[in-house]
Amino acid sequence: MGLRRIALKQGADLDGFRLATRRLVAAGIAPHDVVWCAEDTPVLFPPQAAEEASPIALPRRVAELIEVVVCHRDPERYALLYELVWRVLQGERALLEMQADPLVHRLELMQKAVHREVHRMHAFVRFRRTKSRPNGPDHFVAWFEPDHFIIEAAAPFFVDRFRSQIWSILTPFGSLHWDREELRVGPAARREDAPDGDGFEAGWRSYYESTFNPARANPAVMRAHMPTRYWRNLPESAAIAELLRAAPARATAMIERDAAAPAKRMPEKAVAAMGDQAPASLAELNRLIAASEPMVSSGSTRAVLGEGPVGAAIAFVGEQPGDQEDLEGRPFVGPAGQLLDRAIAEAGLDRARVYVTNAVKHFKFEQRGKRRIHKKPAAGEVAHYRWWLMEELNFVQPRLVVALGGTAMLALGGKAGPVTRMRGRTTFLGRPGFITVHPSYLLRLPDEAAKEEAYRAFVSDLRAIRRIVEDSVTGGAADVRRSA
Ligand code: URA
């Protein structure tokens, strides 16, 4: 029997590969009798409805690996995958367990490379604001040069994060276009098709400059996390060379400035509670908070302190303890806390590895019969507790502080505002920050469908938080994940 030539579409042609594989298997054609080409030419087999070739039952791991590896740029990907399918069907059902097998080893490396590239696309796409027509809505356009055929695999993340915007991502392999309702995959694009920067770029640059920690600057680590080929498309990259050059001097200046800094001013009540002893550790600060008089109208049982490891990469800041938190003396253990725990786990984070605290440390409530009904703290009350919160975060030193809702946003950033407009992106909250909704907002939504949708968006924010922390270019992989 002569060689069979199978030509698939350029890119990740999963459907084409599946169809051809079914037919080849049905015809009993072994891998060494097939030549696979990825190009836009017709397939050699006569056109046939997909149903005519019976589907093949493969172990789930094999099917998942195929879906990922077809996105790899290696021209041999289809040949390798067909060999895998063939061997599995010949009886090697547990082939993927054999990591020493050269075929398995190579496919696993390819799978990892694709995953890494999807991850990088999520981290390094930067949108520029344009208008597709005068007076029309904003259209956000990004240019990205991936190493593999991953744009469709990466698309759900962008749809999830930027559902309410109109955007396009242009790449040399194809383009993605979202119109707030539908995702369209379009043709390849050129760099010139993407607009040049605007105020957005300046914003990214200054955010990057303000969060850049010169003491941690390590060019080798930075390059490993953000390969230099991505730099030219990142607005902040203009700042990188200069920041690196100036890093040693800035680090020294920072140390000198901290050493020379006068003691920070504290609210009078806090000073009174503390005497003139500045706390030297989080434990000491906590003792002072625990001994302080509640600023919010009293009745609460105790001050509820923050919880989690010092040095946690992420610190979540809520509003104030609720009824159950007040009784148990721990933050986020009531209904909102249980929802937060569920979302944290679903986003792949580990509650034991993050820090959780509140802007206000005492429960403010109104007594109605036997029930203690939560009352929102006033701006002055939030301001009173602010010093404690800042000190607390100075001891914890998170890479990212997450404001859960408006009160936390006010406490951290000093400004009130609509959370829904600010949510879902990095921002400066006295330190690198991220704003999202408070979990009790989800609990208050009236109908189940709205609740479910809001919960999904919340989990999506938490996933974004995890990625931001893992991708932070100046450090190593953050210890925020759930254990495997
Ligand atoms: N809501 C908060 O903001 N904090 C808690 O600890 C519990 C509910």
Side-chain angles (χ1 to χ4, degrees):
M1 192 186 295
L3 282 181
R4 297 294 184 119
R5 184 169 177 276
I6 308 291
L8 298 183
K9 280 193 255 157
Q10 200 183 30
D13 188 359
L14 181 61
D15 290 342
F17 175 73
R18 278 192 181 135
L19 184 58
T21 298
R22 287 178 195 173
R23 291 175 183 165
L24 289 167
V25 168
I29 297 169
H32 55 260
D33 286 326
V34 187
V35 178
W36 295 85
C37 317
E39 56 193 27
D40 284 317
T41 52
V43 295
L44 194 81
F45 281 113
Q48 213 176 21
E51 313 82 70
E52 287 178 34
S54 355
I56 302 167
L58 290 169
R60 199 161 58 109
R61 266 191 72 200
V62 174
E64 283 169 0
L65 183 122
I66 291 172
E67 279 179 26
V68 176
V69 173
V70 289
C71 302
H72 200 281
R73 210 175 174 179
D74 189 331
E76 290 187 42
R77 63 192 179 282
Y78 296 120
L80 297 169
L81 288 173
Y82 187 58
E83 192 183 333
L84 172 76
V85 171
W86 184 262
R87 285 178 57 186
V88 168
L89 295 178
Q90 295 294 308
E92 294 184 69
R93 303 289 295 180
L95 181 55
L96 283 188
E97 313 297 325
M98 318 277 293
Q99 267 135 14
D101 184 287
L103 174 67
V104 173
H105 181 65
R106 186 157 166 203
L107 287 169
E108 280 188 345
L109 289 181
M110 290 165 81
Q111 185 184 31
K112 273 196 194 128
V114 170
H115 280 314
R116 201 177 314 120
E117 197 62 4
V118 170
H119 191 57
R120 284 187 175 146
M121 181 163 171
H122 292 163
F124 298 135
V125 158
R126 298 285 183 269
F127 288 99
R128 273 91 170 159
R129 191 199 306 261
T130 64
K131 296 248 182 229
S132 30
R133 54 194 157 80
N135 303 323
D138 286 337
H139 181 183
F140 294 90
V141 182
W143 169 252
F144 189 72
E145 293 170 57
D147 255 1
H148 301 290
F149 304 113
I150 51 150
I151 60 168
E152 286 171 73
F157 166 85
F158 294 102
V159 171
D160 216 26
R161 294 290 311 286
F162 306 113
R163 190 175 287 282
S164 60
Q165 307 286 359
I166 299 171
W167 53 259
S168 300
I169 302 176
L170 312 180
T171 86
F173 297 143
S175 46
L176 297 171
H177 305 275
W178 173 253
D179 63 3
R180 297 192 181 128
E181 280 178 4
E182 201 186 348
L183 182 74
R184 204 163 47 75
V185 180
R190 292 162 312 158
R191 174 88 188 80
E192 311 83 88
D193 300 332
D196 274 339
D198 63 351
F200 238 53
E201 299 223 338
W204 261 105
R205 249 198 318 272
S206 60
Y207 168 73
Y208 189 81
E209 282 170 11
S210 65
T211 58
F212 181 86
N213 182 344
R216 282 211 189 147
N218 178 337
V221 174
M222 284 176 74
R223 279 186 201 102
H225 282 259
M226 180 167 46
T228 38
R229 73 196 149 83
Y230 293 111
W231 290 25
R232 66 177 178 276
N233 295 323
L234 298 179
E236 64 267 35
S237 65
I240 293 176
E242 174 53 21
L243 288 168
L244 276 179
R245 199 186 53 70
R250 282 185 67 190
T252 314
M254 217 165 81
I255 293 161
E256 283 168 1
R257 192 188 59 219
D258 283 357
K264 293 176 203 109
R265 281 185 59 95
M266 296 166 53
E268 271 166 39
K269 278 208 170 189
V271 177
M274 250 179 62
D276 53 5
Q277 295 286 301
S281 65
L282 183 58
E284 213 171 288
L285 176 74
N286 278 340
R287 275 195 293 278
L288 293 165
I289 300 175
S292 71
E293 279 292 306
M295 164 76 175
V296 295
S297 47
S298 198
S300 65
T301 314
R302 66 187 99 223
V304 175
L305 307 171
E307 192 176 86
V310 166
I314 304 171
F316 288 98
V317 180
E319 181 187 81
Q320 62 166 335
D323 181 60
Q324 238 161 291
E325 286 78 14
D326 179 58
L327 295 175
E328 285 188 38
R330 290 183 54 211
F332 282 103
V333 289
Q338 284 155 24
L339 190 73
L340 178 66
D341 283 356
R342 180 151 75 90
I344 280 182
E346 210 167 311
L349 293 166
D350 184 347
R351 163 123 186 201
R353 290 183 175 165
V354 300
Y355 189 82
V356 180
T357 192
N358 283 300
V360 167
K361 305 294 191 238
H362 292 92
F363 177 37
K364 180 176 175 182
F365 61 90
E366 190 187 306
Q367 192 80 45
R368 279 200 218 143
K370 285 197 175 139
R371 294 179 61 207
R372 304 194 296 172
I373 309 294
H374 160 276
K375 269 184 88 180
K376 198 176 168 65
E381 290 164 336
V382 175
H384 166 81
Y385 286 90
R386 192 158 185 258
W387 186 88
W388 303 118
L389 178 64
M390 295 303 141
E391 280 301 287
E392 189 181 5
L393 295 174
N394 279 342
F395 284 120
V396 177
Q397 282 296 326
R399 279 206 213 161
L400 192 71
V401 63
V402 179
L404 297 169
T407 302
M409 195 170 96
L410 173 67
L412 291 164
K415 274 194 216 132
V419 172
T420 40
R421 247 198 16 232
M422 312 283 292
R423 76 177 290 184
R425 53 193 155 94
T426 43
T427 186
F428 196 68
L429 296 172
R431 56 180 64 242
F434 191 102
I435 296 168
T436 186
V437 295
H438 192 286
S440 49
Y441 155 78
L442 308 179
L443 293 173
R444 285 195 304 268
L445 287 171
D447 75 278
E448 284 310 311
K451 235 180 217 165
E452 180 57 25
E453 192 182 341
Y455 176 73
R456 290 279 132 233
F458 185 53
V459 172
S460 162
D461 279 355
L462 297 189
R463 288 207 180 98
I465 287 162
R466 188 185 123 190
R467 274 186 296 262
I468 290 164
V469 171
E470 287 174 357
D471 290 341
S472 49
V473 287
T474 50
D479 188 20
V480 289
R481 289 174 194 232
R482 278 196 301 158
S483 330

